[in-house]
């Protein structure tokens, strides 16, 4: 890091190489790159908006939009990412790259340019189609090598080779193979390969959210999050580390990039942590662990989270709801870990705070917290009331109220000095908390709009992000002029600066999307190879052989695959590959073992282990970025970060077996609070055990007790199942009665029996989530399941494609062997009491030991 508190040139280059492209072309080349990036952002805003449908202009179907998206991504990839890392080729665009960019753009957009002609010859490509597909595949692999990394390109080549070598492989993974023409047609001329679901999610969802995050950062929200965290926590023991954790969590609301999170916050927090006494290795590891976890923090999670919408078949708002509690617990645990590190090393506060009496602090916090709650409640009820009273006119009234709120908050912000753009590392002095908070409250308006549209209005993710982005652009254009007006200063340059920030944000968003667009297209090659060869069907047998039917071994194998792929493949591609191959297998083999594993739990399991690749050595990019700031060894930084990440690694195994952590099958506020508190305490106990420190250094038996308590709090059902069975089996004929009696969003569990495609007799336990209460037969049909009753025999008649029932493992024609209904056993939550007593026992024992040591020293 440079002495000015800014990222060094090497660090800036590392971020550019990872996120936006390492080439800094100037002149005409630079202007063209910027113009195309802005045009790409403008197209994505248009595509996400309701305007094409309202005006009847620029309507593109999914395939056409994907083709244009890929064409632009390929064009920018060859212009922004040099073919070599040598400095001489970073400041200009060679003629060869111009040729690659233009040909790549044509090949990528081929399905758009010749859509009507291709529609007349499905499955019968002409010579030009094959030539374009061949060139397109080669250029996509080269763009992948540049923008994503060589391992991703090699992995795609492995799956292409698998298509051709199928007849020569062992029986467990063999297939009949395919011709070159069929492979190219499947990969490039249909939506089964490159232009498949992954690229579709990139054009529909991912781009608009990346753009929203880039604009929000340009507006100053990232710096605001950092300054607020510093003001609130910098005075605590080990304060800089706690600032790193909280600011990364807040930045995770708007950014899904681990590397940029490390650099934007780490240039301040890592030197401050070193100064506080953490040391370079631990300082870099703390920043890495907290920044990587930004990808699991709703509402703007990593790009892979948007793919779950398609793969799991549930709204993004449900993904956010399921993911929130584990993400919050993970950050709370990391906060506790850095506190324990401070206790172990005897660290003290390293930043001074303006002296204030306890009474002043209490009044300030009381007014701040109560005021925040009151304002949030007032905004909520005004919005609800406007919708109830005004009907169709409500959006316009709410827009006017938001604009008025924006002006009021800017009026409040104008009374305080502008937030500093950096923290004085040598002599850090904490600003007052609530003045710092008030100085940027207007940044919360677009985030609030996004959450409101997603969670309350239940709009699509793309439309929600569009309205949030429109709100944000309005904020960016007006915030500086209005603040200047309220301060009585000149507004001449304020309008221009706001406009420039919008343009820079649009450019940043497109540049950040190049690698993601290329990665999702290349992941399509992998998925296309799976669908063309039928590898997905063979994975069940392969994994069953490896795991011998043991679910724990199967999950460990999946986690291992994710970590190995994470050494060279980005999170998005890692998720696509492992989720495509392993998610259905885990659900299926779990069902055959009598375990109902929700599909969303499996996908989040893969997602969590996919992001670990940014930490784990030897290729964790976030660890390398942190090490570049701290000046320490990146491998040792990554290893220490992996230790801190253990509390995140445990959570996926927990919610596979205890879906209550994902708020599945949780009814009522009391149960929700019980699960949240117990899981948080469990994670804290596990963190203390992994650090071997609670109130003081833990003895071996205290570590064992803390681990036992953690397990009991995470898995209370494990112990209760040994006392009483959770389900009782009733005859299949009662299926409609049971379906009618279950509450909303509860799962109907049953045992089904049938023959698989290999002719084997299979018996498995499956469950389907039911919707609104009503007639049992209709509730099953709404979930995609048609059941036929013939006397005492009940059979699965039809399973609607893409429905919850289909994704849960139901098979048409299979017999229902029994329906499972919950028993009247005591709640598993009673296990929380002895577990909490164990934690209390360790706490009490260490307290007595500390008191005796203190008395002896006196």
């Amino acid at each position: 890091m440079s002495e000015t508190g800014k990222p060094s040139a090497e660090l800036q280059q590392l971020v550019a190489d990872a996120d936006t492209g390492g080439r800094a072309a100037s002149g005409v080349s630079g202007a063209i790159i910027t113009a195309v990036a802005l045009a790409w952002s403008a197209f994505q805003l248009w595509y996400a908006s309701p305007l094409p449908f309202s005006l009847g202009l620029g309507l593109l179907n999914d395939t056409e939009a994907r083709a244009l998206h890929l064409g632009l991504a390929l064009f920018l990839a060859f212009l922004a990412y040099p073919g070599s890392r040598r400095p001489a080729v970073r400041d200009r665009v060679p003629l060869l790259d111009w040729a690659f960019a233009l040909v790549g753009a044509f090949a990528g957009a081929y399905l758009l340019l010749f859509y009507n002609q291709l529609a007349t010859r499905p499955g019968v490509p002409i010579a030009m189609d094959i030539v374009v597909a061949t060139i397109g595949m080669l250029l996509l692999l080269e763009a992948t090598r540049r923008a994503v990394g060589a391992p991703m390109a090699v992995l795609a080549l492995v799956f292409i080779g698998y298509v051709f070598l199928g007849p020569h492989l062992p029986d467990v993974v063999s297939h009949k193979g395919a011709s070159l023409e069929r492979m190219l047609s499947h990969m490039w001329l249909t939506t089964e390969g490159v232009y498949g679901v992954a690229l579709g999610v990139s054009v529909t969802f991912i781009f608009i959210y990346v753009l929203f995050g880039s604009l929000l950062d340009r507006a100053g929200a990232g710096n605001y999050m950092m300054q607020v965290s510093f003001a609130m926590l910098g005075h605590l023991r080990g304060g800089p580390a706690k600032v790193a954790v909280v600011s990364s969590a807040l930045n995770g609301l708007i950014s899904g990039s681990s590397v940029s999170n490390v650099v934007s916050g780490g240039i301040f927090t890592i030197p401050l942590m070193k100064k506080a006494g953490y040391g370079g290795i631990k300082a870099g590891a703390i920043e890495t662990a907290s920044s990587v976890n930004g990808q699991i923090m709703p509402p703007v999670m990593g790009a892979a989270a948007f793919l779950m919408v398609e793969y799991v078949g549930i709204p993004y708002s449900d993904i956010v709801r399921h993911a929130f509690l584990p993400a919050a617990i993970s950050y709370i645990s990391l906060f506790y870990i850095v506190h324990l590190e401070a206790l172990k090393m005897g660290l003290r506060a390293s930043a001074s705070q303006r002296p204030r009496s306890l009474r002043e602090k209490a009044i300030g916090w009381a007014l701040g917290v109560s005021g925040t709650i009151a304002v949030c409640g007032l905004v909520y009820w005004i919005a609800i009331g406007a919708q109830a009273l005004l009907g169709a006119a409500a959006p316009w009234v709410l827009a006017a109220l938001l604009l008025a709120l924006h002006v009021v908050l800017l009026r409040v912000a104008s009374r305080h000095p502008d937030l500093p753009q950096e923290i004085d590392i040598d002599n850090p002095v904490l600003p007052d908390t609530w003045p710092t908070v008030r100085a940027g409250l207007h940044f919360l308006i677009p985030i609030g709009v996004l959450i409101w549209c997603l969670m309350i209005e239940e709009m699509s993710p793309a439309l929600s992000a569009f309205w949030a982005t429109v709100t944000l652009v309005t904020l960016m254009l007006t915030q500086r002029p209005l603040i200047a007006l309220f301060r009585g200063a000149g507004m001449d340059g304020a309008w221009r600066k706001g406009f420039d920030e919008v343009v820079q944000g649009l450019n940043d968003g497109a540049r950040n999307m190049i690698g993601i667009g290329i990665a999702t297209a290349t992941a399509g090659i992998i998925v296309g190879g799976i669908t063309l060869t039928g590898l997905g069907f063979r994975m069940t047998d392969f994994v069953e052989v490896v795991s011998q039917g043991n679910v724990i071994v199967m999950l460990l194998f999946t986690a291992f695959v994710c970590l190995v792929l994470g050494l060279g493949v980005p999170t998005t591609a890692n998720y696509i590959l492992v989720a495509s191959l392993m998610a259905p297998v885990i659900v299926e083999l779990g069902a055959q073992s009598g375990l109902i594993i929700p599909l969303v739990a499996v996908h989040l399991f893969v997602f969590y282990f996919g992001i670990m690749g940014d930490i784990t050595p030897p290729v964790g990019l976030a660890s390398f970025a942190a090490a570049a700031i701290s000046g320490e060894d990146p491998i040792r930084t990554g290893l220490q970060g992996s230790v801190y990440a253990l509390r995140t690694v445990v959570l996926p195994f927990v919610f596979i077996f205890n879906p209550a952590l994902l708020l599945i099958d949780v009814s009522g506020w009391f149960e929700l609070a019980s699960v949240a508190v117990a899981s948080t305490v469990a994670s804290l106990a596990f963190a203390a055990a992994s650090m071997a420190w609670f109130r003081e250094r833990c003895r071996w038996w205290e570590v064992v007790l803390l681990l036992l308590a953690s397990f009991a709090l995470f898995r209370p059902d494990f112990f209760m199942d040994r006392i009483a069975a959770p389900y009782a089996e009733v005859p299949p004929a009662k299926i409609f009665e049971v379906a009618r009696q279950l509450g909303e969003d509860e799962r109907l569990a049953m045992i089904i029996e049938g023959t698989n495609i290999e002719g084997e007799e299979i018996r498995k336990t499956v469950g389907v989530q039911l919707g609104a209460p009503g007639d049992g037969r209709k509730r099953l049909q709404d979930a995609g399941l048609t059941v036929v009753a013939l006397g005492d025999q009940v059979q699965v008649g039809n399973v609607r494609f893409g429905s919850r029932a289909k994704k849960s493992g139901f098979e048409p024609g299979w017999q229902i062997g029994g329906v499972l209904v919950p028993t009247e056993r005591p709640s598993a939550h009673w296990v929380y009491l002895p577990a909490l007593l164990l934690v209390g026992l360790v706490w009490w024992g260490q307290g007595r030991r500390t008191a005796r040591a203190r008395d002896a020293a006196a």
Side-chain angles (χ1 to χ4, degrees), residues 82 84-90:
S84 170
R85 297 294 171 90
R86 288 182 290 116
V89 297
R90 291 181 182 273

Side-chain angles (χ1 to χ4, degrees), residues 20 53 129 173 203 280 284 296 415 536 551 555 561 611 617 777 806 816:
T20 61
F53 301 96
D129 297 341
V173 290
V203 67
I296 65 175
R415 297 173 181 171
V551 176
L555 292 173
V561 171
I611 68 172
R777 187 185 296 270
K806 183 65 177 177
I816 297 177

